[in-house]
Amino acid sequence: MTNKFKIINDPVHGFINIPHEILFDVIEHPYFQRLRRISQTGLLNLIFPGATHTRFHHALGAMHLMFTALETLKLKGVAISKDEEKGAMLAILLHDVGHGPFSHALENMLMDDWHHEKLSLLLMRKMNEEFNGQLSTAIEMFQGKYHRKFFNQLISSQLDVDRLDYLKRDSFYTGVSEGSVNTQRIISMMNVSQDELVIDAKGIYSIENFLTARMFMYWQVYYHKTAAIAEFLLVKILARAKVLVSQGENLPASENLSYFLNKNKFECATAEDLQRFTELDDNDVIQAMKFWSKNEDIILSYLCKCVIQRNFPRTIISSQPFSAEFIQEKINLTDEKYGSGAGAELVNQLARHLLPYNQEEQPIFLLQKNGEKIRLDHSENQILSSFISQQNTKYILAFPREI
């Protein structure tokens, strides 16, 4: 008889308990164990060497914060059954189970427009069959179909436990202290009013701090110009590999990666698609890039060397789009250096958009002492919320260093 009530030591939150046997069984499942081999932050460790943590770490941390949030709500008189507690913890534990290699970078590349949430849902349903329906409540909550809305808001909203964990965790592993948020304080301010998640009004500054910390993490870490180009290069590498394979070239790659490079139609995922997807991880892609960096195709080998040797293109960042003439000049110089047509592939302008706080979509509500709910940006005590409700865009131009 296995003892399933384990304690896990996490560098960010300390000790994490596993209070239900089904949680242990899900963690042991091969689909979930695969997350140990999927980086939480893609290629960010090439810029912040400490950022080597995985989706596995993050999912456990988010589950821990969900448990803490539910305990807080119970203390405030919110009735939460054992089945609901299990459902919410399972839903957040599995919210990223559909992530492909290197997280977001390859999401649309491998299976066209298969968003990781769509894949997570498919895998959760498959596991639900194996576990005789024990994940049914979790799936309802994950989809937002459960009759008590606050469970879905804890899983996915502008103030959910997923964001609380990844901000604190990514800030810890990158060493970027601006992203550190006081998760305990924020969770202690959570409440429920009319089955919706709200924040006690006195917690307003903790929430504003959370929103600005997230904004700083995006500009300083996730949208860092080198991080943005590294992620973009991964997408370009797989796109180029797919083109070459479609032209009949036999590219060396693991069996599962080859399967996706050769397959072009994914209207609905077959059993084989799913099986192969759950066997793919970061290692398949790294191995392929090592092979392809010696490929005769100048574009593919150049892009792979950029990543494997960490010899990135030059990047310049601007708050305005770059002029067509300036871009064309870089393209012409690249063509001279690498041959006609190379410029169009190796000179790229990317745009990164960020709306730190969306007032219209799932706004954050404050619960006042008299029981009234008001929107965060309508509170007379807010300092920053009205300033961070505007979208900001930065443009990045990347081109070969040699030109």
Side-chain angles (χ1 to χ4, degrees), residues 370-396:
N370 61 6
E372 269 183 53
K373 284 194 313 188
I374 55 163
R375 268 174 41 168
L376 174 64
D377 46 300
H378 291 168
S379 164
E380 57 187 33
N381 291 328
Q382 58 94 14
I383 302 171
L384 296 163
S385 304
S386 47
F387 293 107
I388 55 175
S389 305
Q390 279 121 33
Q391 181 159 294
N392 200 328
T393 302
K394 298 255 192 288
Y395 298 89
I396 300 163

Side-chain angles (χ1 to χ4, degrees), residues 215-229 313-323 326-327 330 348-354 392-399 401:
M215 177 179 72
F216 286 128
M217 280 298 279
Y218 267 86
W219 290 126
Q220 222 170 318
V221 177
Y222 313 128
Y223 289 172
H224 181 291
K225 64 189 178 87
T226 315
I229 199 65
R314 270 202 65 193
T315 47
I316 21 184
I317 192 162
S318 164
S319 53
Q320 300 299 320
F322 293 89
S323 71
F326 185 67
I327 295 172
K330 300 293 180 199
N348 296 285
Q349 176 174 247
L350 331 180
R352 289 289 177 266
H353 313 284
L354 181 67
N392 200 328
T393 302
K394 298 255 192 288
Y395 298 89
I396 300 163
L397 185 69
F399 50 89
R401 283 193 177 277

Side-chain angles (χ1 to χ4, degrees), residues 180-323:
S180 186
V181 289
N182 188 342
T183 51
Q184 294 309 314
R185 165 79 178 159
I186 292 171
I187 287 174
S188 73
M189 291 293 127
M190 287 181 173
N191 213 326
V192 169
S193 170
Q194 296 157 330
D195 268 340
E196 293 213 25
L197 188 67
V198 291
I199 296 294
D200 291 333
K202 62 185 175 188
I204 182 166
Y205 301 128
S206 300
I207 302 309
E208 291 202 319
N209 182 46
F210 157 79
L211 293 170
T212 48
R214 184 169 174 270
M215 177 179 72
F216 286 128
M217 280 298 279
Y218 267 86
W219 290 126
Q220 222 170 318
V221 177
Y222 313 128
Y223 289 172
H224 181 291
K225 64 189 178 87
T226 315
I229 199 65
E231 184 171 301
F232 181 75
L233 288 174
L234 274 179
V235 178
K236 291 279 285 189
I237 286 166
L238 277 139
R240 185 71 182 176
K242 262 195 139 158
V243 167
L244 294 174
V245 166
S246 71
Q247 292 169 356
E249 181 156 349
N250 186 16
L251 286 181
S254 70
E255 195 185 319
N256 291 313
L257 185 57
S258 287
Y259 174 84
F260 287 103
L261 291 174
N262 280 288
K263 182 158 182 174
N264 289 314
K265 294 227 176 337
F266 290 102
E267 277 81 34
C268 69
T270 64
E272 187 181 6
D273 289 347
L274 276 182
Q275 184 53 42
R276 288 185 177 276
F277 181 80
T278 57
E279 289 173 13
L280 264 186
D281 57 47
D282 292 1
N283 299 320
D284 297 82
V285 179
I286 291 171
Q287 180 197 33
M289 287 192 292
K290 284 161 73 176
F291 286 141
W292 302 343
S293 61
K294 299 179 179 68
N295 194 275
E296 286 172 2
D297 180 73
I298 188 119
I299 307 291
L300 184 64
S301 64
Y302 172 86
L303 295 171
C304 289
K305 278 180 195 150
C306 284
V307 176
I308 292 297
Q309 299 172 2
R310 200 203 176 280
N311 184 15
F312 291 125
R314 270 202 65 193
T315 47
I316 21 184
I317 192 162
S318 164
S319 53
Q320 300 299 320
F322 293 89
S323 71

Side-chain angles (χ1 to χ4, degrees), residues 33-281:
Q33 288 291 319
R34 178 185 75 102
L35 297 180
R36 289 179 183 273
R37 301 184 300 280
I38 302 278
S39 153
Q40 168 70 12
T41 48
L43 289 169
L44 260 187
N45 67 315
L46 294 176
I47 297 101
F48 302 93
T52 53
H53 54 305
T54 63
R55 292 264 155 205
F56 183 86
H57 280 138
H58 162 60
L60 292 175
M63 176 195 78
H64 168 72
L65 292 182
M66 176 64 85
F67 181 71
T68 314
L70 297 179
E71 290 298 299
T72 301
L73 295 176
K74 283 186 211 165
L75 287 174
K76 294 186 181 183
V78 182
I80 294 169
S81 70
K82 269 276 177 269
D83 186 53
E84 286 175 327
E85 177 179 293
K86 258 190 256 186
M89 291 180 75
L90 284 165
I92 197 69
L93 189 64
L94 291 169
H95 77 285
D96 275 349
V97 77
H99 261 293
F102 288 109
S103 303
H104 297 282
L106 308 182
E107 211 158 81
N108 300 336
M109 197 46 252
L110 291 172
M111 295 174 78
D112 297 341
D113 286 324
W114 283 75
H115 194 263
H116 69 270
E117 284 174 8
K118 200 170 175 181
L119 282 162
S120 292
L121 193 57
L122 279 174
L123 295 177
M124 282 163 88
R125 286 185 174 140
K126 214 163 168 331
M127 289 168 82
N128 197 26
E129 288 168 23
E130 289 176 43
F131 290 118
N132 303 319
Q134 287 188 79
L135 308 186
S136 299
T137 307
I139 290 169
E140 266 189 64
M141 288 175 174
F142 180 76
Q143 288 183 284
K145 292 181 176 172
Y146 193 70
H147 64 281
R148 301 179 78 187
K149 193 177 171 186
F150 71 89
F151 285 110
N152 178 258
Q153 289 172 315
L154 282 168
I155 298 160
S156 176
S157 66
Q158 291 200 78
L159 186 60
D160 55 37
V161 295
D162 172 26
R163 289 182 182 192
L164 284 177
D165 181 80
Y166 78 64
L167 282 179
K168 197 169 173 69
R169 189 169 301 280
D170 296 350
S171 154
F172 176 88
Y173 281 99
T174 55
V176 175
S177 57
E178 286 79 358
S180 186
V181 289
N182 188 342
T183 51
Q184 294 309 314
R185 165 79 178 159
I186 292 171
I187 287 174
S188 73
M189 291 293 127
M190 287 181 173
N191 213 326
V192 169
S193 170
Q194 296 157 330
D195 268 340
E196 293 213 25
L197 188 67
V198 291
I199 296 294
D200 291 333
K202 62 185 175 188
I204 182 166
Y205 301 128
S206 300
I207 302 309
E208 291 202 319
N209 182 46
F210 157 79
L211 293 170
T212 48
R214 184 169 174 270
M215 177 179 72
F216 286 128
M217 280 298 279
Y218 267 86
W219 290 126
Q220 222 170 318
V221 177
Y222 313 128
Y223 289 172
H224 181 291
K225 64 189 178 87
T226 315
I229 199 65
E231 184 171 301
F232 181 75
L233 288 174
L234 274 179
V235 178
K236 291 279 285 189
I237 286 166
L238 277 139
R240 185 71 182 176
K242 262 195 139 158
V243 167
L244 294 174
V245 166
S246 71
Q247 292 169 356
E249 181 156 349
N250 186 16
L251 286 181
S254 70
E255 195 185 319
N256 291 313
L257 185 57
S258 287
Y259 174 84
F260 287 103
L261 291 174
N262 280 288
K263 182 158 182 174
N264 289 314
K265 294 227 176 337
F266 290 102
E267 277 81 34
C268 69
T270 64
E272 187 181 6
D273 289 347
L274 276 182
Q275 184 53 42
R276 288 185 177 276
F277 181 80
T278 57
E279 289 173 13
L280 264 186
D281 57 47

